[in-house]
């Protein structure tokens, strides 16, 4: 985890955590809790994700379907009084410390030279070279540990830059001009269907830039001799700056007298723990970036404490506009890890639920999901997402028409799956007939996209085998023949739904293999499950990683135990995690993972089997 700290205590969201009251209400009154160790700290978690359909094709502008899984990443954050920033990733063997004063100096220089952009995450091209320098990273370093540190520092420096920039604006200083020639990519939108050598993402450009020498800030009134990183226009001389009145709004709707402006950035100690393995396609990078972005943005006062109850335990989440800010920042940070991020992982880890995503379009959350179960298998083969993305990119370059046609087929699979999974709420008309309410998964403006904070899917009336036996078993029948008929129809509908999704998984998996991202271990999992009439598919980048499959709702537990035993005999890990639960949340109590210390050399392993 990471900690950013200082000597001051906070009275505001930048140093306290607002919590709903004891009554579980979506508008419960917040209570403040300091993030010092004496006051319990700030605890945030985000779910993992599985891509149900559409991976790789989504990077090239096609549709993907993904859902959150309840294998979460956790962050604990405390303020630190010694002026040091701490980052602890015990599951990855990372323990790092830096000086807060170095961060603040860099942030002041950035604020003097580069403006903050409303509704945009910090510029990767500007911040990453400096983050590399401050974090001690070298250009030739790679691996999960290095990339996790770099993503953390990008977010940390972005928070510090924004606070310093807001403070300058509040003092009446004009914003510096945006440098010319800067590559600014809307990181939630990737629309190119063809990629060539010159088509690089903002993250790829940023990572290729040299690490600049850090020069000291000039004395007040002195002229800096350091050349600017980008050509800038000459600012127009202005008169003596006039401070902004406290009630007036700065970029992002932040009040000039808010803690985001008036309170200093504190040193903190952040610790990150994982309940899901890394490098197996379960969204560990996206969840990590979402947790870090959320905890740092709230600690700095750039987003308020959460106030919306997210689950039955009373954990809280944020308003939609603040979740969207978290998503954008996390997507930018994740692109440093993967080179080119579609934005899907960060969106699902932020909002939760099951969603349809197409670059350049708004995320559409699928509602009223059928009661389907999933099995998730970890091949224990770590894969490199950037390498798999590059493999597909090379396949597209070599066979552009063939590969683009495969992307089109994957897109059609995703669209068909969305129609199956999204079941519009039903309502009866005056004649008693049941009609759809017009909400289709791709129904344009009629698609429900609000209420991102309550994405726990509602289920249609599913009937388990035990329920069915109460109607027709033991010689008993329900007095209402219509109930029996409806039950039978629903059971048949669910069987048909499983059959269609099962076939779509099989086709999609074969297309992924054709794109060059298969692996012999994945083939073994697919062969094993196929003997039980189950057709799984890779989820994520492929090349190993994880495989998932839908299960029939009435699959007997004895059969599931047989499947589980056979998969584990090959050395695989198996889960049956809940699908489509809450996104990022703040916990009211210390999560269990932080109760027991863990050796810093311990590697991340899957949690125990979930059923």
């Amino acid at each position: 985890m990471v900690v950013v700290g200082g000597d001051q205590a906070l009275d505001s969201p930048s140093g306290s955590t607002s919590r709903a009251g004891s009554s579980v209400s979506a508008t419960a009154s917040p209570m403040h809790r300091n993030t010092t160790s004496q006051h319990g700290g700030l605890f945030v978690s985000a779910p993992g994700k599985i891509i149900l359909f559409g991976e790789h094709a989504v990077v090239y502008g096609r549709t993907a379907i993904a859902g959150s899984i309840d294998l979460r990443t956790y962050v604990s954050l405390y303020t630190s009084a010694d002026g040091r920033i701490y980052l602890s990733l015990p599951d990855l063997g990372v323990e790092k410390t830096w000086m807060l004063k170095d961060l603040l100096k860099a942030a002041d220089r950035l604020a003097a030279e580069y403006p903050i952009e409303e509704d945009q995450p910090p510029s990767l091209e500007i911040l990453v070279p400096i983050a590399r320098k401050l974090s001690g990273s070298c250009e030739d370093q790679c691996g999960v540990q290095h990339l996790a540190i770099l993503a953390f520092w990008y977010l940390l420096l972005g928070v510090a830059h924004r606070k310093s920039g807001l403070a300058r604006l509040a003092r009446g200083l004009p914003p510096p001009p945006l440098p010319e020639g800067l590559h600014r990519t809307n990181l939630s939108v990737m629309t190119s269907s063809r990629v060539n050598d010159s088509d690089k993402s903002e993250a790829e450009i940023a990572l290729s830039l040299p690490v600049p020498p850090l020069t000291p800030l000039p004395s007040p009134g002195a002229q800096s001799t350091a050349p600017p990183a980008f050509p800038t226009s000459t600012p127009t001389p202005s008169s003596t700056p006039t401070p902004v009145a406290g009630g007036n709004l700065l970029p992002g709707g932040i009040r000039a007298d808010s803690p985001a402006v008036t309170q200093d950035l504190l040193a903190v100690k952040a610790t990150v723990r994982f309940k899901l393995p890394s490098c197996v396609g379960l969204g560990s990078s996206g969840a990590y970036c979402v947790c870090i972005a959320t905890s740092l943005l709230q600690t700095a006062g750039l987003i308020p404490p959460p106030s919306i109850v997210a689950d039955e335990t009373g954990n809280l989440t944020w308003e939609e506009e603040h979740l969207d800010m978290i998503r954008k920042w996390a997507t930018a940070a994740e692109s440093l890890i993967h080179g080119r991020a579609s934005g899907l992982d960060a969106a699902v880890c932020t909002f939760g639920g099951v969603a349809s995503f197409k670059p350049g379009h708004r995320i559409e959350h699928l509602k009223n999901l059928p009661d389907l179960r999933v099995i998730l298998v970890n091949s224990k083969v770590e894969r490199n997402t950037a390498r798999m993305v590059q493999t597909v990119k090379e396949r597209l370059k070599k066979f552009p028409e063939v590969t683009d046609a495969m992307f089109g087929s994957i897109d059609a699979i995703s669209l068909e799956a969305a129609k199956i999974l999204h079941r519009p709420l039903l309502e009866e008309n005056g004649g008693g007939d049941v009609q759809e309410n017009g909400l289709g998964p791709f129904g344009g403006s009629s698609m429900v996209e609000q209420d991102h904070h309550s994405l726990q899917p509602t289920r249609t009336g599913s009937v388990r085998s035990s329920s069915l036996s109460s109607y027709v078993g033991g010689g008993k029948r329900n007095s209402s023949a219509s109930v029996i008929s409806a039950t039978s129809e629903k059971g048949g509908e669910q069987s048909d739904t499983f059959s269609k999704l099962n076939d779509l998984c099989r086709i999609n998996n074969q297309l992924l293999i054709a794109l060059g991202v298969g692996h012999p271990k994945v083939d073994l999992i697919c062969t094993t499950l196929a003997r039980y009439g189950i057709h799984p598919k890779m989820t994520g980048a492929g090349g190993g990683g994880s495989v998932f499959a839908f299960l029939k709702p009435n699959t007997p537990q004895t059969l599931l135990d047989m499947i589980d035993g056979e998969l584990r005999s090959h050395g695989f890990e198996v889960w049956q995690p809940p699908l489509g639960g809450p996104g990022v949340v703040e916990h009211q109590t210390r999560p269990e993972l932080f109760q027991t210390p863990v050796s810093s050399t311990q590697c991340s392993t899957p949690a125990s089997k979930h059923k």
Side-chain angles (χ1 to χ4, degrees):
M1 290 298 276
V2 179
V3 179
V4 181
D7 297 332
Q8 293 173 285
L10 295 180
D11 305 325
S12 62
S14 58
S16 61
T17 303
S18 174
R19 304 190 176 280
S22 56
S23 61
V24 180
S25 168
T27 57
S29 299
M31 294 166 27
H32 296 285
R33 189 176 70 179
N34 200 283
T35 53
T36 60
S37 57
Q38 293 83 359
H39 292 83
L42 171 67
F43 302 106
V44 172
S45 76
K49 75 90 185 63
I50 56 175
I51 297 183
L52 303 175
F53 301 97
E55 49 267 273
H56 286 294
V58 71
V59 179
Y60 299 90
R62 305 319 201 275
T63 304
I65 310 294
S68 62
I69 54 172
D70 198 28
L71 298 174
R72 305 181 73 87
T73 296
Y74 296 80
V75 169
S76 83
L77 188 140
Y78 298 89
T79 56
S80 169
D82 62 0
R84 293 178 183 271
I85 299 166
Y86 298 87
L87 174 61
S88 174
L89 309 173
D91 298 311
L92 300 178
V94 171
E95 299 286 339
K96 290 287 186 179
T97 306
W98 303 274
M99 297 303 297
L100 175 64
K101 63 181 182 180
D102 295 332
L103 169 68
L104 298 180
K105 288 179 181 178
D108 287 344
R109 175 174 289 284
L110 282 168
E113 296 181 356
Y114 304 107
I116 56 176
E117 298 178 75
E118 188 174 358
D119 297 328
Q120 285 280 357
S123 166
L124 290 162
E125 199 168 347
I126 291 173
L127 264 62
V128 167
I130 300 172
R132 271 225 207 100
K133 181 71 174 180
L134 292 173
S135 66
S137 299
C138 298
E139 290 184 45
D140 57 351
Q141 281 184 315
C142 60
V144 124
Q145 293 88 346
H146 158 68
L147 294 173
I149 293 170
L150 184 59
F152 166 73
W153 258 94
Y154 161 75
L155 292 168
L156 181 64
L157 190 58
V159 164
H161 174 214
R162 182 147 302 200
K163 282 183 68 70
S164 183
L166 289 171
R168 286 176 56 87
L169 294 176
R171 296 197 302 269
L173 296 172
L178 184 68
E180 298 175 3
L182 197 63
H183 297 83
R184 290 302 281 134
T185 301
N186 184 341
L187 288 158
S188 66
V189 178
M190 295 228 175
T191 57
S192 63
S193 59
R194 300 291 176 90
V195 175
N196 52 51
D197 290 336
S198 63
D199 182 20
K200 291 184 177 181
S201 68
E202 183 182 349
E204 291 168 327
I205 293 171
L207 290 169
S208 68
L209 295 175
V211 176
L214 286 184
T215 56
L217 281 172
S219 303
Q223 186 71 26
S224 172
T225 59
F230 299 92
T232 60
S233 57
T234 304
T236 303
S238 60
S239 57
T240 304
T242 303
V244 176
N248 289 352
L249 296 181
L250 299 173
I254 295 176
R255 288 170 55 96
D257 57 357
S258 72
V261 178
T262 61
Q263 297 286 357
D264 292 333
L265 184 66
L266 301 185
V268 295
K269 180 177 182 181
T271 304
V272 182
R273 297 295 312 278
F274 300 91
K275 267 195 174 180
L276 73 166
S278 61
C279 302
V280 293
L282 300 181
S284 58
S285 299
Y288 169 79
C289 292
V290 167
C291 283
I292 294 295
T294 303
S295 58
L296 291 179
L297 286 169
Q298 180 172 322
T299 301
L302 296 174
I303 60 173
S307 59
I308 299 168
V309 176
D311 56 31
E312 66 279 359
T313 64
N315 294 326
L316 303 177
T317 192
W318 289 259
E319 297 283 353
E320 179 183 334
E321 62 178 307
H322 304 124
L323 289 175
D324 199 51
M325 182 177 182
I326 292 168
R327 175 189 65 80
K328 289 177 180 178
W329 284 55
T331 298
E334 189 195 3
S335 70
L336 295 175
I337 299 175
H338 294 322
R340 180 182 290 268
S342 68
L344 181 59
D345 283 23
V348 172
C349 294
T350 300
F351 291 107
V354 176
S356 166
F357 174 83
K358 184 174 184 178
H361 296 72
R362 301 179 72 184
I363 294 172
E364 299 177 346
H365 297 282
L366 308 184
K367 304 289 185 177
N368 203 30
L369 303 173
D371 189 11
L372 290 172
R373 303 164 68 182
V374 297
I375 185 170
L376 183 61
V377 186
N378 176 17
S379 70
K380 290 192 172 180
V381 177
E382 289 192 359
R383 88 283 177 274
N384 184 292
T385 297
R387 188 180 301 126
M388 292 297 101
V389 170
Q390 182 64 28
T391 296
V392 175
K393 181 178 178 179
E394 291 172 357
R395 186 67 53 96
L396 178 62
K397 183 179 179 181
K398 187 176 182 179
F399 304 109
E401 293 184 3
V402 174
T403 305
D404 195 60
M406 286 193 283
F407 290 156
S409 295
I410 293 173
D411 185 63
I413 290 170
S414 297
L415 295 176
E416 183 65 26
K419 294 176 184 176
I420 296 170
L421 289 170
H422 179 85
R423 296 153 59 93
L425 296 176
L426 303 179
E427 59 185 18
E428 295 186 7
N429 63 12
D433 296 329
V434 178
Q435 297 182 335
E436 293 189 2
N437 65 356
L439 295 177
F442 299 93
S445 61
S446 65
M447 176 63 198
V448 176
E449 205 231 358
Q450 63 270 27
D451 295 330
H452 291 280
H453 50 263
S454 57
L455 299 177
Q456 186 83 23
T458 38
R459 309 278 186 178
T460 54
S462 61
V463 181
R464 307 267 182 193
S465 56
S466 59
S467 300
L468 185 58
S469 65
S470 68
Y471 288 115
V472 299
K476 297 180 181 179
R477 296 187 64 87
N478 190 286
S479 58
S480 172
S482 62
V483 172
I484 298 176
S485 175
T487 300
S488 177
E489 289 176 4
K490 289 175 182 176
E493 180 184 354
Q494 285 196 332
S495 179
D496 183 58
T497 296
F498 164 78
S499 177
K500 290 179 179 178
L501 293 173
N502 199 32
D503 285 341
L504 291 177
C505 282
R506 177 175 54 82
I507 301 169
N508 198 162
N509 196 64
Q510 291 300 318
L511 288 168
L512 291 173
I513 293 172
L515 288 174
V517 297
H519 191 277
K521 290 286 188 181
V522 172
D523 295 341
L524 177 58
I525 296 171
C526 293
T527 301
T528 301
L529 289 174
R531 290 200 294 269
Y532 297 92
I534 300 170
H535 296 293
K537 66 171 287 293
M538 290 175 273
T539 179
S546 297
V547 172
F548 93 96
F550 291 101
L551 296 172
K552 287 184 179 180
N554 59 349
T555 303
Q557 186 59 48
T558 53
L559 180 59
L560 292 175
D561 291 340
M562 288 175 59
I563 296 172
D564 180 89
E566 185 169 355
L567 290 169
R568 290 181 184 273
S569 71
H570 292 295
F572 304 129
E573 293 283 347
V574 185
W575 301 276
Q576 294 175 47
L579 175 67
V584 62
V585 298
E586 181 188 332
H587 294 264
Q588 297 190 70
T589 58
R590 182 193 301 265
E592 183 180 353
L593 261 69
F594 298 112
Q595 304 290 348
T596 306
V598 119
S599 169
S600 62
T601 59
Q602 178 180 338
C603 293
S604 177
T605 57
S608 58
K609 180 179 175 183
H610 289 67
K611 292 187 178 180

